[in-house]
Amino acid sequence: MDMLRLITNDPCLKPYEQALVGRYKYAQNKERELTKESGTLTDFATGYLYFGLHKQAKKWVFREWAPNATHIYIIGDFNKWKESEKYALTRQGDGVWEGVFPEKAMKHGDLYKLKIKWEGGEGERIPAYCRRVVQDEETKIFSAQVWAPENPYKFKVKKFKPEVSPLLIYECHIGMSGEEEKVSTYNEFREKMLPRIKADGYNCVQIMAIQEHPYYGSFGYHVSSLFAPSSRFGTPDELKQLIDEAHEMGMAVIMDIVHSHAVKNQVEGLGLFDGTPYQYFHDGWRREHNQWDSLCYNYGKNEVMHFLLSNCKYWLDEFKFDGFRFDGVSSMLFLDHALGNVFGSYDNYFNGNQDGDAICYLTLANKLIHEVHPDAITIAEEVSGMPGVASKIEDGGMGFDYRLAMGIPDFWIKMIKEVKDEEWKPGHILWTLTNHRPDEKTISYAESHDQALVGDKTLMFRLADADMYWHMSRLFDSSYMVDRAIALHKMIRLITVSSINGGYLNFMGNEFGHPEWIDFPREGNGWSYKYARRQWHLVDDTDLKYKYLGDWDKAMLDVVKSIRKFNMTDINVLWDKSDDQVLAYRRADLIFVYNFHPYKSFTDYGILAPAGKYKMVLCSDSTEFGGFGQVDTTQEHFTQYDANGTAEGKEWLKLYIPARSCMVLKHF
């Protein structure tokens, strides 16, 4: 291990070398402790194969970890929901309970729960490792369900290697992915959305809200059953088929995994599973996450480590997911959940506020995931900038492949809200988009689901405001607000995707400027699904301007994908003139040119570029993308020698650059 590599890349970390070494050694020691009997993390993280309900030869075997329990019974459809010795579990050791039952004791589709008793109380519980949880439509009560179909789904694609150079992520939510005012299903997503995502040019589908959650409006972040794919969207086999067909199309599938906190519910969740508040979670002041109204896992307990690591392997093994976007990593890293801390100094990271057990868990989770699936994708939703999050474990990092660049969408919102168009500095924009640690890859994005939630606004909504409702017809309407919005929407997206060093993310519908916010059914809106859906007819309607943005999104991704390992190419700034608001930079054989000026167009504008011939491959001013058609995109451009002298190997590339436009030229 070269522990100094993090410090070599960032000498300011030198005073904290002891802390970096300490967290690395702590993870090493914990791994040895956990695997002293199994040998490897892969062999250790198999709790889902041992705990829960399993059908074996002519019998059913059920196991549960509940150290504080005095009695446990399985109750369900098969025994009229009454506790009986016939369905009792027996204590084995180390808090494990077990029951072996004849094959006829239960059948596929039966509903059941656990009746757990402890000193001074009792309660009905859903098993912690349950793989299927369903909700009664009338009573709204959740129950576990026996899931052992006679003909389980068999994957057609046995091995799949994700395309990650660059990684182009389409973030989505199954339930709100359809046009109808309802909860959409895995099958509908597979049939309607996968072809659309593939055609748009994305190579990775990131699915939210997979793990079962009692409240639909939580967006899937208040998880109750970590091993159960949400039944409100369909069956586990239907989810498997969705993933399998995405692989057939060449697209990776990753999921939002929520190990940062859990729902407080006791009947549906793990909040008071065996009568103790501290079985899976912290006790005392660390138990509750007050801002999220949820419970915080105790990563210092080996049983909790086993539970969560097994959950990582389960989704990879059983469903063939290609990786995870870990939710709430910043909250996990710090004892105060990174609340109210501006992280203006490295002292803020290494001041005793770190949760060493959580850091250890994340490190071992990344190691396990890449042991199970060497090509897996792991992304940290991390906003604090903690050093080493997306650095290699052997270098002293936590092992994530990518860090989500959460500051970028905040930057764009700030630009739109607070900075006049005439004051946008394209050089500063590029610096902000590329300001990341040299040893980390990031996922850049202009906006995600966070910016689309009710109470907030998408970029297109901020730019066009109410004019979106009245002036999006290609045939009859004209609006300065809409013209400006469409122009900046295209420019913002191109400069964001073209400056990536890792990957790019888009939330479904945002690529074409979806006009509505996201608001899940709740009491405050009369339990309406009106805003918990996506209006695909808007982008499919050739008479509406949304199509311009949808076509632009596909075209710019095609340009990025035309260069092998685009994200790994250097960014060479060729021109940065703040007064003109003009910027140009080169990546491989492509030159990206921007004129952010709101009203100045430039004729024969000179940019110093590598000598040679250039052909325009993309232009936001083209009429097919809602521009004004002032640029002849078929014209070939030849650089011009300057007798007065220019930089070695460079000549003047003269271009007509309309106001609020961007273009990409290829060097031949």
Side-chain angles (χ1 to χ4, degrees):
M1 181 199 76
D2 183 7
M3 264 312 298
L4 296 178
R5 186 162 299 175
L6 276 177
I7 299 169
T8 300
N9 291 333
D10 188 352
C12 294
L13 288 173
K14 181 63 179 175
Y16 312 98
E17 183 172 8
Q18 186 176 353
L20 294 171
V21 172
R23 77 185 189 188
Y24 175 82
K25 288 185 175 179
Y26 186 71
Q28 275 190 319
N29 292 336
K30 177 59 71 173
E31 181 181 0
R32 282 193 289 266
E33 179 185 344
L34 296 177
T35 61
K36 61 185 177 182
E37 295 181 2
S38 60
T40 66
L41 283 174
T42 302
D43 295 326
F44 169 76
T46 53
Y48 62 96
L49 299 175
Y50 181 78
F51 290 108
L53 183 64
H54 300 277
K55 188 174 184 180
Q56 299 180 358
K58 303 296 182 181
K59 63 182 179 182
W60 296 91
V61 179
F62 181 89
R63 299 185 187 92
E64 190 67 65
W65 176 60
N68 191 54
T70 56
H71 298 83
I72 301 181
Y73 303 91
I74 298 181
I75 58 175
D77 292 336
F78 36 77
N79 59 9
K80 298 182 179 179
W81 298 89
K82 303 292 184 181
E83 61 186 75
S84 67
E85 292 304 316
K86 182 179 178 181
Y87 287 91
L89 305 184
T90 57
R91 184 187 290 271
Q92 302 299 300
D94 296 327
V96 176
W97 294 75
E98 181 181 83
V100 180
F101 311 101
E103 186 176 22
K104 63 181 180 180
M106 57 190 74
K107 65 182 186 302
H108 174 68
D110 282 344
L111 302 182
Y112 71 100
K113 289 183 180 180
L114 299 180
K115 184 67 171 292
I116 301 181
K117 298 187 177 184
W118 54 85
E119 293 293 339
E122 61 180 44
E124 293 183 359
R125 300 288 186 263
I126 292 175
Y129 282 83
C130 182
R131 300 188 181 196
R132 173 77 169 165
V133 177
V134 296
Q135 184 180 28
D136 186 276
E137 292 186 5
E138 295 183 2
T139 65
K140 305 302 179 183
I141 294 174
F142 286 86
S143 300
Q145 186 177 46
V146 177
W147 192 255
E150 290 186 11
N151 298 303
Y153 185 80
K154 295 181 180 179
F155 286 95
K156 300 173 186 175
V157 180
K158 305 301 181 184
K159 291 185 178 181
F160 178 79
K161 184 174 182 178
E163 171 59 50
V164 296
S165 292
L167 184 64
L168 303 172
I169 303 172
Y170 200 84
E171 182 188 37
C172 50
H173 182 282
I174 299 290
M176 59 171 290
S177 63
E179 183 113 13
E180 298 178 61
E181 295 183 26
K182 65 166 192 171
V183 177
S184 294
T185 66
Y186 296 124
N187 282 342
E188 289 169 331
F189 187 94
R190 173 176 55 81
E191 295 168 358
K192 299 177 181 179
M193 284 302 299
L194 287 184
R196 185 183 290 274
I197 298 169
K198 176 66 176 177
D200 284 349
Y202 292 86
N203 56 23
C204 181
V205 185
Q206 179 181 308
I207 308 180
M208 307 173 64
I210 290 294
Q211 296 170 296
E212 192 59 86
H213 45 290
Y215 179 45
Y216 185 49
S218 76
F219 226 141
Y221 290 122
H222 274 192
V223 171
S224 54
S225 296
L226 278 73
F227 291 82
S230 183
S231 61
R232 56 172 57 88
F233 310 134
T235 70
D237 283 33
E238 289 166 349
L239 175 58
K240 290 178 181 179
Q241 186 178 3
L242 185 163
I243 296 169
D244 202 23
E245 293 196 10
H247 287 166
E248 286 186 306
M249 295 180 181
M251 295 187 294
V253 185
I254 63 176
M255 64 176 276
D256 273 14
I257 196 164
V258 186
H259 286 178
S260 49
H261 62 133
V263 72
K264 293 168 70 173
N265 299 35
Q266 296 177 9
V267 176
E268 296 89 358
L270 303 172
L272 204 66
F273 190 77
D274 69 351
T276 59
Y278 48 79
Q279 182 184 358
Y280 287 95
F281 309 103
H282 284 289
D283 200 7
W285 68 272
R286 294 191 62 188
R287 174 173 163 78
E288 294 192 17
H289 194 303
N290 293 327
Q291 189 177 60
W292 292 350
D293 192 32
S294 55
L295 303 179
C296 302
Y297 288 107
N298 184 351
Y299 308 102
K301 294 181 71 169
N302 288 354
E303 295 88 351
V304 175
M305 290 281 273
H306 182 241
F307 180 67
L308 296 176
L309 289 173
S310 295
N311 191 238
C312 293
K313 187 184 176 189
Y314 166 75
W315 292 108
L316 296 172
D317 189 25
E318 295 290 319
F319 288 85
K320 297 192 181 299
F321 275 101
D322 298 292
F324 307 99
R325 178 260 205 189
F326 275 74
D327 167 68
V329 169
S330 299
S331 175
M332 298 171 69
L333 297 180
F334 301 98
L335 299 179
D336 65 357
H337 306 302
L339 299 175
N341 197 331
V342 296
F343 297 102
S345 163
Y346 276 162
D347 288 339
N348 297 130
Y349 299 110
F350 303 101
N351 60 0
N353 188 33
Q354 288 189 15
D355 186 339
D357 291 320
I359 293 172
C360 177
Y361 165 67
L362 291 169
T363 303
L364 296 185
N366 275 295
K367 185 170 184 179
L368 165 72
I369 290 165
H370 291 97
E371 276 185 11
V372 176
H373 189 341
D375 297 310
I377 300 160
T378 59
I379 304 169
E381 188 212 24
E382 209 289 301
V383 70
S384 79
M386 163 73 83
V389 167
S391 299
K392 294 179 180 179
I393 295 173
E394 58 267 29
D395 295 340
M398 297 177 207
F400 283 97
D401 297 304
Y402 303 90
R403 184 203 295 268
L404 206 60
M406 299 179 69
I408 293 179
D410 293 338
F411 167 76
W412 283 123
I413 291 172
K414 182 179 178 67
M415 289 291 293
I416 293 171
K417 288 177 62 176
E418 301 178 11
V419 183
K420 296 179 180 178
D421 289 9
E422 293 86 351
E423 296 175 1
W424 283 32
K425 306 299 183 185
H428 172 66
I429 291 173
L430 181 65
W431 180 87
T432 301
L433 298 179
T434 56
N435 183 26
H436 44 68
R437 297 183 182 280
D439 56 341
E440 291 188 337
K441 291 185 291 185
T442 58
I443 301 296
S444 300
Y445 59 109
E447 54 185 336
S448 69
H449 70 274
D450 286 328
Q451 287 72 44
L453 291 170
V454 65
D456 205 340
K457 290 182 178 180
T458 63
L459 289 183
M460 189 60 184
F461 216 165
R462 287 185 184 279
L463 291 166
D465 205 34
D467 278 35
M468 287 188 73
Y469 293 112
W470 311 107
H471 302 291
M472 291 299 283
S473 170
R474 294 174 61 186
L475 305 177
F476 307 111
D477 286 315
S478 179
S479 159
Y480 170 80
M481 285 285 288
V482 169
D483 289 344
R484 170 182 176 271
I486 288 176
L488 287 177
H489 197 270
K490 290 180 291 187
M491 297 182 74
I492 287 171
R493 275 170 154 64
L494 182 65
I495 197 170
T496 301
V497 72
S498 65
S499 59
I500 59 173
N501 81 324
Y504 174 77
L505 177 144
N506 168 71
F507 179 70
M508 62 178 185
N510 285 357
E511 71 275 10
F512 68 83
H514 198 284
E516 305 290 9
W517 52 82
I518 300 167
D519 189 13
F520 285 93
R522 54 186 172 85
E523 187 175 2
N525 63 17
W527 303 104
S528 170
Y529 287 86
K530 181 178 180 181
Y531 298 112
R533 63 191 180 109
R534 299 279 90 177
Q535 301 181 58
W536 300 110
H537 74 276
L538 296 175
V539 70
D540 294 337
D541 190 337
T542 57
D543 290 336
L544 296 178
K545 296 176 182 177
Y546 296 101
K547 180 174 170 52
Y548 292 144
L549 299 180
D551 289 346
W552 172 262
D553 197 71
K554 181 181 184 305
M556 74 176 192
L557 294 187
D558 285 343
V559 168
V560 167
K561 291 188 297 183
S562 70
I563 302 297
R564 185 174 179 271
K565 297 184 177 181
F566 175 86
N567 56 299
M568 299 174 67
T569 61
D570 293 332
I571 297 177
N572 298 309
V573 176
L574 303 177
W575 196 262
D576 178 10
K577 200 166 191 312
S578 296
D579 292 346
D580 295 337
Q581 294 181 265
V582 173
L583 172 72
Y585 53 87
R586 178 170 62 91
R587 299 198 76 169
D589 293 332
L590 300 177
I591 292 182
F592 298 83
V593 182
Y594 304 85
N595 177 10
F596 278 96
H597 204 288
Y599 56 84
K600 280 187 179 179
S601 298
F602 298 99
T603 302
D604 288 334
Y605 194 93
I607 294 170
L608 283 173
K613 181 177 74 172
Y614 289 86
K615 182 178 180 182
M616 195 166 295
V617 294
L618 187 66
C619 180
S620 67
D621 189 62
S622 297
T623 55
E624 63 180 309
F625 303 125
F628 297 99
Q630 301 175 81
V631 177
D632 181 0
T633 58
T634 65
Q635 180 183 353
E636 293 183 339
H637 299 268
F638 296 86
T639 57
Q640 300 175 23
Y641 175 72
D642 187 344
N644 295 324
T646 59
E648 184 176 353
K650 292 183 179 180
E651 295 182 345
W652 289 105
L653 176 63
K654 298 293 185 71
L655 301 170
Y656 173 62
I657 317 174
R660 281 203 192 106
S661 73
C662 54
M663 58 188 68
V664 185
L665 298 101
K666 186 175 178 63
H667 184 215
F668 289 90

